[in-house]
Amino acid sequence: MIKMPDGKLFIGGEWKNGSGQEIVSIFPVDGSINCTFKGASQEDVLEAIELAKNAQSKDSWLSLKPYERAQYLYSIADGIESNIERISQIQTRDTGKTLSETSALARSASGTFRYYAALLESSDDSLTSQRSDSLTLSVYEPLGLISAITPWNSPIASDAQKVAPALAAGNAVLLKPSSWSPLVSLELAKIIESSGLPKGLFSVLPGAGSEVGSLLVEHPDISKVTFTGSTSTGRELATQAAQKLMPISLELGGKSPAIVFEDADIDVAISGVMFGIFSSTGQSCIAGSRLFIHESIYDEFLERLVNETNKLIVGDPYEKDTQVSSLIHHDHRDKVSAYVDRAIGDGGRILCGGKAPIGAEFEKGAYYLPTIIADVKSSSEIVQEEVFGPVLVVMPFKDEGDVIEQANDSQYGLACGIWTNNFPKAWRVARAINAGTVWINTYKQFSISTPFGGEKSSGIGREKGSDGIRAYMSQKSLYIDLTGKPHQWANL
Ligand code: NAP
């Protein structure tokens, strides 16, 4: 059994006991307690902000050349890579995710730090086209203090996607992980400490969102908030940010369509649809949770999909064959289960799942079976709201126009999957769907070099990609006189 972190918080570069509310980390597979510790209080946040301000404004950070700052990020990437086993074990204990998934998340976090280090070394400021006797340049400055607020579903990957570009840009970062998954962020702090990053530039402040999170948004010294979480919290934070006229980036919820045309390769489509919704036990913002099947193959496709779904291996996250593990928390499992019960009340027909698995090994865990529901109305709660669990709703469609209309009938616009062997059709539909990411004949593929984000209620802004560092910087224009002569009037 892996030794759990000792529950100290990383405040301004020092390990200290928090003075806020108690946090209890549980292993949702059997409900056992991993550890309990005090989270951050508002006083802890104020201390971290003060130390961050001091550290970020020092020459020892601000005047580093990009290639020098990049060395810290390379070192953090190496630190994550050499601790993948420990990081993934801790994440699995804290979230119930399969070990194979948490290892992949840790590897991707390491890749994120490496990518932003390389990008930092190769990002140029620019000389703009000259129109007067001045040399004109466009340069980028760090914003200052960044609050990064993250959810529980992919902790190390969400943390890295924010911390790496924000540090690369020359800022200080205050990270608030979810109270349901705080441990891996504290583990990341150990690695960042070992990289030698100047003290104060990075803090980890787990604690209640309503107390710790809101201060990290409202405080006047915070220059930008980068948030990943639910649409309702994101809306609240955007309102607070508007009052301060502060930039905020929001990566929010989704209810993404998966579309299967009659000419699709059925085996490829079935495996993609199942991976899209049931991997990560459906706790994925991009889960393909609304399935649209062409009416000519509806019955046949659904029968095969249900057969294959029933074969998914539900169980222990440490077993290498497990495909679907427990949900993050018993409270969350009950929320998912209540959604399904209401869908049945609304006339939905359960084709598989619809309950927790039966057996001694599942009794204490937050398990819920992969569930497929048919005969749902497009206006019903189960079709419109994000369940964030292993629950798929299925609907038939007539033609291209009909499916585009149905797929776009949602407040969300995060992702979409299309299965067809007709490329022009895939292209037309991909362009017409309201979504930040569209996969064609695949699903849930990711690349740090490709921007990610949502439309409509799924968010504002993009993470990842070559503009990722710029999102944490402010653009400045410089005019440098080349004449050495006294100023002329009206020279516009
Ligand atoms: P959440 O309840 O909105 O919480 C997200 C984070 O915000 C947590 O750290 C939470 O802290 C904090 N928080 C809550 N209230 C706050 C407030 N008033 N002020 C400041 N911070 C506050 O979301 P979640 O349940 O953790 O995560 C699931 C959601 O995240 C889903 O909707 C999913 O789609 C979305 N998500 C989106 C993406 C994306 O890239 N688009 C990726 C992953 C997840 P506490 O919980 O500790 O109180």
Side-chain angles (χ1 to χ4, degrees):
M1 160 91 74
I2 193 121
K3 187 176 168 296
M4 285 292 122
D6 57 14
K8 289 218 164 56
L9 312 186
F10 194 60
I11 302 178
E14 303 287 346
W15 291 96
K16 296 181 179 171
N17 288 318
S19 54
Q21 292 170 24
E22 186 170 73
I23 291 182
V24 182
S25 159
I26 65 153
F27 183 40
V29 167
D30 61 13
S32 59
I33 292 178
N34 297 321
C35 59
T36 59
F37 61 94
K38 288 268 188 116
S41 63
Q42 293 207 332
E43 288 68 38
D44 296 328
V45 174
L46 292 174
E47 184 186 344
I49 289 176
E50 207 44 48
L51 292 165
K53 221 167 101 176
N54 189 27
Q56 199 273 334
S57 59
K58 279 207 173 113
D59 250 12
S60 53
W61 183 238
L62 276 187
S63 62
L64 286 186
K65 313 272 182 307
Y67 83 93
E68 291 171 323
R69 207 155 60 227
Q71 301 315 310
Y72 291 108
L73 279 87
Y74 284 126
S75 165
I76 297 166
D78 290 344
I80 295 174
E81 214 158 276
S82 46
N83 283 286
I84 282 186
E85 172 67 16
R86 178 170 166 75
I87 292 170
S88 44
Q89 289 277 355
I90 287 177
Q91 274 195 116
T92 290
R93 291 290 310 180
D94 214 11
T95 62
K97 279 176 173 288
T98 62
L99 202 57
S100 53
E101 185 183 347
T102 54
S103 312
L105 290 173
R107 279 195 300 278
S108 96
S110 164
T112 299
F113 277 95
R114 214 174 287 294
Y115 173 79
Y116 280 110
L119 200 63
L120 175 59
E121 288 201 78
S122 53
S123 293
D124 298 326
D125 290 324
S126 56
L127 203 57
T128 60
S129 168
Q130 203 178 337
R131 294 185 73 90
S132 66
D133 289 334
S134 294
L135 194 63
T136 46
L137 296 97
S138 176
V139 300
Y140 290 85
E141 310 279 10
L143 290 169
L145 268 55
I146 307 296
S147 289
I149 302 178
T150 53
W152 45 261
N153 65 316
S154 306
I156 187 98
S158 307
D159 292 356
Q161 262 165 240
K162 298 179 184 312
V163 175
L167 284 179
N171 301 288
V173 183
L174 301 128
L175 172 65
K176 195 210 92 60
S178 161
S179 305
W180 275 356
S181 63
L183 301 186
V184 82
S185 307
L186 292 165
E187 205 54 30
L188 177 64
K190 282 189 196 159
I191 290 165
I192 291 187
E193 183 185 29
S194 303
S195 75
L197 189 80
K199 279 184 193 303
L201 288 172
F202 181 64
S203 288
V204 178
L205 303 159
S210 54
E211 200 183 323
V212 171
S214 54
L215 183 56
L216 283 170
V217 178
E218 284 162 7
H219 195 283
D221 288 335
I222 300 300
S223 321
K224 174 168 179 165
V225 170
T226 168
F227 172 81
T228 299
S230 63
T231 295
S232 57
T233 310
R235 241 185 219 118
E236 222 178 288
L237 270 50
T239 309
Q240 289 166 3
Q243 289 304 318
K244 280 175 69 181
L245 293 179
M246 171 184 68
I248 183 166
S249 71
L250 300 168
E251 298 285 350
L252 308 177
K255 189 80 188 180
S256 300
I259 300 170
V260 181
F261 283 98
E262 65 280 16
D263 55 11
D265 179 319
I266 300 298
D267 291 332
V268 170
I270 285 180
S271 66
V273 167
M274 288 202 305
F275 185 72
I277 177 64
F278 299 128
S279 60
S280 313
T281 319
Q283 303 165 116
S284 172
C285 54
I286 45 165
S289 49
R290 289 183 295 148
L291 173 61
F292 298 97
I293 309 167
H294 189 265
E295 59 185 12
S296 65
I297 56 165
Y298 184 80
D299 290 333
E300 179 206 343
F301 188 89
L302 212 45
E303 190 183 334
R304 287 183 60 185
L305 178 68
V306 170
N307 278 341
E308 292 306 311
T309 300
N310 280 327
K311 289 185 208 158
L312 286 172
I313 301 169
V314 180
D316 184 342
Y318 290 103
E319 293 293 334
K320 88 172 177 354
D321 293 336
T322 296
Q323 291 164 298
V324 179
S325 180
S326 97
L327 291 149
I328 175 84
H329 201 281
H330 297 76
D331 291 354
H332 186 57
R333 192 267 314 274
D334 295 348
K335 197 172 146 197
V336 169
S337 169
Y339 263 116
V340 173
D341 293 347
R342 289 196 295 275
I344 296 168
D346 274 354
R349 183 165 52 97
I350 302 289
L351 302 180
C352 61
K355 57 181 186 240
I358 294 163
E361 69 274 36
F362 301 117
E363 261 167 28
K364 293 185 184 158
Y367 284 97
Y368 200 79
L369 282 172
T371 298
I372 301 180
I373 310 178
D375 301 346
V376 285
K377 287 193 227 55
S378 60
S379 58
S380 63
E381 178 193 67
I382 199 74
V383 177
Q384 293 297 330
E385 288 194 15
E386 182 186 42
V387 174
F388 220 55
V391 179
L392 178 69
V393 291
V394 293
M395 288 152 285
F397 69 89
K398 287 192 181 59
D399 55 30
E400 220 176 291
D402 178 33
V403 79
I404 290 169
E405 197 179 322
Q406 289 197 61
N408 283 341
D409 177 19
S410 167
Q411 66 162 315
Y412 296 110
L414 194 57
C416 171
I418 299 168
W419 283 268
T420 174
N421 278 326
N422 178 331
F423 179 74
K425 180 158 67 184
W427 175 257
R428 284 191 303 271
V429 177
R431 301 302 298 262
I433 295 289
N434 305 140
T437 298
V438 178
W439 290 284
I440 296 169
N441 293 328
T442 183
Y443 207 89
K444 251 184 158 181
Q445 299 292 313
F446 275 126
S447 149
I448 184 63
S449 52
T450 309
F452 177 78
E455 293 183 9
K456 304 200 281 190
S457 297
S458 291
I460 299 174
R462 294 288 179 268
E463 289 192 329
K464 305 183 176 181
S466 58
D467 289 338
I469 296 182
R470 301 296 196 218
Y472 295 96
M473 300 187 102
S474 158
Q475 199 167 11
K476 183 181 278 176
S477 302
L478 292 178
Y479 289 73
I480 304 167
D481 176 61
L482 296 175
T483 65
K485 292 183 189 155
H487 210 290
Q488 301 286 307
W489 286 96
N491 63 346
L492 296 175

